[in-house]
Amino acid sequence: MADPEPVPVPAQVREKRGCPEDEDKETPSKKLRVEKDNKNGDPPRPDGEEEPEGGASDGEEEGETFADMMKHGLTELDVGILRYVSDHEGFSGILKERYSDFVVHEINKQGKIVHLDDLSIPAEAEEVPEVEEQPKDFDVLTEEQKKQLGELQLFKNKETEVSIEVVDDTKEKRTLVHKAIKTQFPGLETKTEEKEGRKFIVAYHAAGKKALAEVKATTAPRKHFWPKNRGSFCHFALYKENKDTMDAINVLSKFLRLRPNMFSYMGTKDKRAITVQEIAVLKITAERLAHLNKCLMNLKLGNFCYKNHPLKLGELQGNHFTIVIRNISGTDEQVQQAMTSLRQTGFINYYGMQRFGTTAVPTQQVGRAILRNDWKEVVDLILKPRPGAEKEFLVRCREEWAKTQDPEAALKKLPNKRCVEGQLLRGLSMYGKKDIVTAFGLIPRNNRLMYIHSYQSMVWNTMVSRRIDAFGLKAVEGDLMLKGTAAHVLSAEEAESHSIHDIVMPLPGFDVIYPTHHVGKGYRELLSADGLDIDNMRHKVKDYSLAGAYRRVIIRPSDVSWEVIEYDDPKISLVHSDFEKLENKPAPVFNTEGKYRALRMEFSLPPSTYATMAIREVLKLDTSIKKQTQLNTTWFN
């Protein structure tokens, strides 16, 4: 759940000098049938982006403050987030003033909270069977001979061959020398020659400089021999600060010279946070992974072990959150009432604001246009000039498109052609404006599906708000509950024996049923007003056909605890992180009386739920970037 940021983040996560830099890469995604989102409550965003259109600024733009730019953003009302379940009095507080105020630990499929608490390497990872199998190979060549052979292998000397005299001339000795050269210096061939009554083994290149490719191809596997008794996958805990999961994996894959799809994980985690999760990688040793700890900043790897299976999206049982809300205005009694309600009743399971982007053109509008097959509007919504947070080159690109409708001219205004706008313009220049469907297909699939999932989410939020308005917090006749993975309509008698915590509402699609009471009938009216037919949710393009899914109306967190803390320095961390514990850094010490008050809370949530919506229920405040920025700006001023 990449939660909205209340203020711009000046600090960037960087690697140490000499280490490869980050790269944006397209990432795979899966949509699971019964709403198994892969973030803490959000599906993975492609290319590690926080916003779907690559249009939001990383920092401040000339002439406008961040607060000025965000005045065009969405609020909760715009996406159907309207109601609360508790009747306590809300209070103000600042969410994510620092990224260290939001700490997420994954709960694995065994129900264990994942921590980084051990940087050691498993004993079996230190075995190097290949060295033990051929110890003699390394004895028959002198260091000088190895140097000459190495230079020959890489064409660094002027000689075309290297001759090694066999002093103890036996067939066994010559065999060992032949084998040692071919094993240690791939790409070289050997032959035996007799000169002046003495025997020499001559090493030479069999295929000229083309052999260099063979050298590079064959050297890597030999370096990383994999014992048969070791699990094929190295599992490890990934600790990261202020970095998206896919950004982190792209960095690791570049350091290790692997494709990102060699890594597997159970869900992606927030960017603006400290998070710990389990990752698995195919046939990479713990030593190589642990070595990265020396050159990575804000990333740490540990708790290594070898297993015979990768990880799968959605396998996690949930996430455990430790969250600090700073500068709270509520009394101790208000806090007690709010947190008790959260523990006993829970919160409405709304899709959070990050589901809908932060730019002036909401993602659900693009999704609606896709579902309506209105491709001209899709292009217009993505490329037209807009107010709000925009990088200067995007502003110029949009102005060029509005003026000329020339995709190639607009594309020239973009230094980075891999953003959504660039990919769409590239598609339009290749296929023309008469084949927008194919042109739109150049955008990575994750981005494209995110638009229609955003529309589904807006419909779900809106209908759940109507459901709470109409019937409150009780199960009623016509509601839906799950029996296995199938939805069942409750009778009046069944409703008496069930609670609101059993009730689900559908995301619209061709493979779901709807509540039979009047709120359920509202789905048809809402979709009809948007120009969609609820009875025909299959699209001409298969990717955009919506099957639908079911989602619980109310979520009750587990393991809820909290405390009000007081402090004087707003820059100090109020949570003791796993990395700080490993470094033996002292835990934060709080005052009995302080200049500032903060609420520190802990709770666990199942997958597909948004911690920001739990916080919203406690504070009764709008969690949108627009509102949080206004609150932060007022407080800082």
Side-chain angles (χ1 to χ4, degrees):
M1 187 182 61
D3 293 304
E5 301 179 21
V7 289
V9 188
Q12 294 180 327
V13 181
R14 295 185 296 271
E15 285 66 57
K16 288 183 180 178
R17 291 180 183 177
C19 293
E21 293 180 358
D22 222 348
E23 273 191 353
D24 289 336
K25 306 212 177 180
E26 185 179 338
T27 60
S29 81
K30 289 184 180 179
K31 181 181 184 303
L32 304 183
R33 247 318 257 113
V34 184
E35 268 312 297
K36 290 283 188 181
D37 287 344
N38 301 310
K39 223 160 197 165
N40 308 331
D42 204 17
R45 291 200 182 278
D47 301 325
E49 293 291 334
E50 288 279 90
E51 281 76 42
E53 295 174 28
S57 174
D58 293 328
E60 295 181 5
E61 298 294 328
E62 295 179 7
E64 277 192 302
T65 66
F66 185 81
D68 289 335
M69 292 188 292
M70 289 317 304
K71 66 188 177 185
H72 305 286
L74 295 171
T75 65
E76 291 183 346
L77 297 178
D78 298 321
V79 295
I81 302 174
L82 307 175
R83 300 291 173 253
Y84 300 96
V85 298
S86 57
D87 55 9
H88 72 268
E89 183 182 352
F91 51 91
S92 65
I94 300 177
L95 172 63
K96 287 194 175 183
E97 182 181 323
R98 300 170 62 84
Y99 69 76
S100 58
D101 289 346
F102 203 92
V103 181
V104 186
H105 288 87
E106 190 170 73
I107 303 173
N108 65 22
K109 62 181 180 181
Q110 288 78 33
K112 181 183 177 183
I113 297 176
V114 177
H115 283 278
L116 179 78
D117 53 19
D118 182 5
L119 299 182
S120 66
I121 295 167
E124 63 268 26
E126 297 173 1
E127 298 172 6
V128 189
E130 190 172 53
V131 174
E132 295 172 7
E133 288 173 9
Q134 300 172 344
K136 294 181 181 178
D137 290 1
F138 298 89
D139 296 336
V140 295
L141 299 173
T142 66
E143 291 303 317
E144 179 61 27
Q145 289 167 347
K146 289 179 183 178
K147 180 182 176 184
Q148 292 174 354
L149 290 165
E151 290 175 349
L152 175 67
Q153 181 191 39
L154 299 176
F155 294 94
K156 289 184 178 180
N157 60 15
K158 296 180 180 179
E159 303 294 333
T160 58
E161 60 184 36
V162 170
S163 297
I164 298 172
E165 183 178 0
V166 184
V167 180
D168 301 322
D169 183 18
T170 63
K171 184 176 181 181
E172 290 76 14
K173 180 67 180 288
R174 292 198 303 271
T175 300
L176 283 176
V177 176
H178 282 293
K179 187 175 180 183
I181 293 172
K182 291 177 181 178
T183 300
Q184 296 178 53
F185 303 95
L188 296 185
E189 290 293 330
T190 58
K191 60 184 178 180
T192 302
E193 289 185 356
E194 190 169 331
K195 301 177 184 177
E196 300 177 355
R198 292 184 295 171
K199 287 196 175 179
F200 293 85
I201 291 177
V202 179
Y204 62 97
H205 275 289
K209 293 197 175 183
K210 290 182 181 179
L212 273 177
E214 184 184 342
V215 168
K216 293 176 181 176
T218 58
T219 300
R222 292 182 183 274
K223 281 184 180 177
H224 308 301
F225 177 82
W226 203 262
K228 292 181 180 179
N229 61 349
R230 179 194 291 166
S232 296
F233 295 87
C234 186
H235 288 235
F236 60 94
L238 169 66
Y239 169 99
K240 61 182 183 65
E241 296 183 0
N242 203 23
K243 203 167 188 67
D244 182 83
T245 297
M246 285 314 306
D247 287 344
I249 284 179
N250 284 339
V251 170
L252 297 179
S253 64
K254 188 162 188 179
F255 286 163
L256 297 167
R257 298 180 182 180
L258 298 173
R259 296 187 305 276
N261 63 7
M262 300 293 280
F263 293 86
S264 58
Y265 49 89
M266 294 182 285
T268 60
K269 298 290 179 280
D270 308 72
K271 176 180 179 180
R272 187 161 167 78
I274 292 175
T275 73
V276 185
Q277 67 184 112
E278 187 175 348
I279 305 287
V281 61
L282 177 64
K283 290 193 175 180
I284 296 295
T285 64
E287 291 101 323
R288 290 185 69 192
L289 293 167
H291 180 74
L292 298 182
N293 286 331
K294 297 176 182 178
C295 66
L296 292 174
M297 293 184 66
N298 292 4
L299 292 176
K300 214 72 175 175
L301 317 180
N303 295 81
F304 303 104
C305 65
Y306 294 99
K307 298 181 181 180
N308 288 318
H309 58 83
L311 296 170
K312 295 180 181 178
L313 285 172
E315 278 187 332
L316 73 168
Q317 285 197 17
N319 295 282
H320 184 78
F321 296 87
T322 304
I323 296 169
V324 174
I325 310 295
R326 295 186 184 240
N327 203 36
I328 61 170
S329 63
T331 64
D332 288 352
E333 184 180 359
Q334 285 177 296
V335 170
Q336 177 75 17
Q337 290 175 347
M339 294 303 299
T340 301
S341 173
L342 182 68
R343 180 165 61 190
Q344 294 178 351
T345 305
F347 61 96
I348 303 174
N349 193 20
Y350 286 125
Y351 286 97
M353 294 302 300
Q354 57 272 39
R355 186 81 163 187
F356 306 98
T358 56
T359 61
V361 177
T363 54
Q364 70 269 22
Q365 290 184 13
V366 181
R368 180 179 60 194
I370 293 170
L371 294 173
R372 287 197 307 213
N373 239 12
D374 190 343
W375 294 101
K376 186 177 182 302
E377 184 184 4
V378 170
V379 171
D380 188 47
L381 286 169
I382 293 175
L383 296 180
K384 71 179 181 181
R386 61 182 67 171
E390 284 276 82
K391 292 180 180 178
E392 184 59 35
F393 60 78
L394 275 169
V395 173
R396 292 194 297 270
C397 169
R398 297 186 194 286
E399 288 173 348
E400 181 66 33
W401 173 256
K403 182 171 66 177
T404 66
Q405 296 286 296
D406 182 348
E408 292 187 7
L411 194 60
K412 289 178 181 177
K413 303 292 184 181
L414 295 176
N416 175 16
K417 310 277 191 297
R418 297 183 67 183
C419 62
V420 167
E421 291 84 356
Q423 289 157 331
L424 177 56
L425 287 167
R426 189 161 59 91
L428 291 171
S429 66
M430 290 171 64
Y431 300 105
K433 286 180 277 187
K434 291 185 178 180
D435 191 4
I436 296 175
V437 176
T438 306
F440 185 70
L442 262 66
I443 297 172
R445 185 172 183 269
N446 282 355
N447 289 67
R448 290 183 278 120
L449 296 184
M450 183 174 55
Y451 291 124
I452 58 175
H453 293 163
S454 177
Y455 177 75
Q456 277 184 306
S457 303
M458 185 274 296
V459 171
W460 193 91
N461 283 355
T462 302
M463 298 312 300
V464 165
S465 292
R466 293 185 189 179
R467 164 64 182 74
I468 298 295
D469 272 347
F471 305 117
L473 298 180
K474 64 177 183 178
V476 298
E477 182 180 5
D479 272 337
L480 302 181
M481 67 171 287
L482 288 179
K483 289 188 174 180
T485 57
H488 169 73
V489 180
L490 291 181
S491 65
E493 184 180 357
E494 288 172 323
E496 291 292 326
S497 60
H498 288 88
S499 75
I500 188 66
H501 296 97
D502 301 317
I503 303 307
V504 298
M505 292 278 280
L507 283 87
F510 61 78
D511 198 25
V512 295
I513 62 173
Y514 298 89
T516 55
H517 46 58
H518 68 84
V519 174
K521 293 179 173 60
Y523 275 91
R524 183 178 298 275
E525 298 165 9
L526 179 59
L527 267 66
S528 180
D530 283 339
L532 297 170
D533 180 2
I534 199 170
D535 299 317
N536 185 21
M537 298 302 287
R538 295 186 187 274
H539 197 278
K540 291 179 181 178
V541 181
K542 188 177 179 181
D543 267 357
Y544 312 139
S545 291
L546 293 179
Y550 301 99
R551 182 175 174 87
R552 292 194 181 278
V553 172
I554 301 291
I555 291 292
R556 186 161 45 197
S558 58
D559 308 316
V560 179
S561 64
W562 67 90
E563 64 176 326
V564 175
I565 52 183
E566 300 197 15
Y567 60 102
D568 292 321
D569 185 356
K571 295 180 181 179
I572 65 167
S573 173
L574 302 180
V575 179
H576 202 201
S577 71
D578 284 0
F579 181 63
E580 289 170 332
K581 293 174 185 176
L582 277 171
E583 295 279 292
N584 293 318
K585 293 183 178 179
V589 178
F590 308 117
N591 307 327
T592 51
E593 292 184 5
K595 188 176 178 182
Y596 307 106
R597 294 171 72 242
L599 168 60
R600 187 170 71 175
M601 63 177 82
E602 291 194 42
F603 52 83
S604 297
L605 293 176
S608 177
T609 51
Y610 288 70
T612 43
M613 293 297 98
I615 295 164
R616 170 187 180 272
E617 185 68 39
V618 170
L619 300 180
K620 296 202 170 175
L621 278 181
D622 191 318
T623 58
S624 64
I625 295 182
K626 180 175 181 178
K627 291 295 184 182
Q628 284 288 310
T629 303
Q630 292 170 356
L631 181 64
N632 248 12
T633 304
T634 302
W635 183 69
F636 279 118
N637 288 341

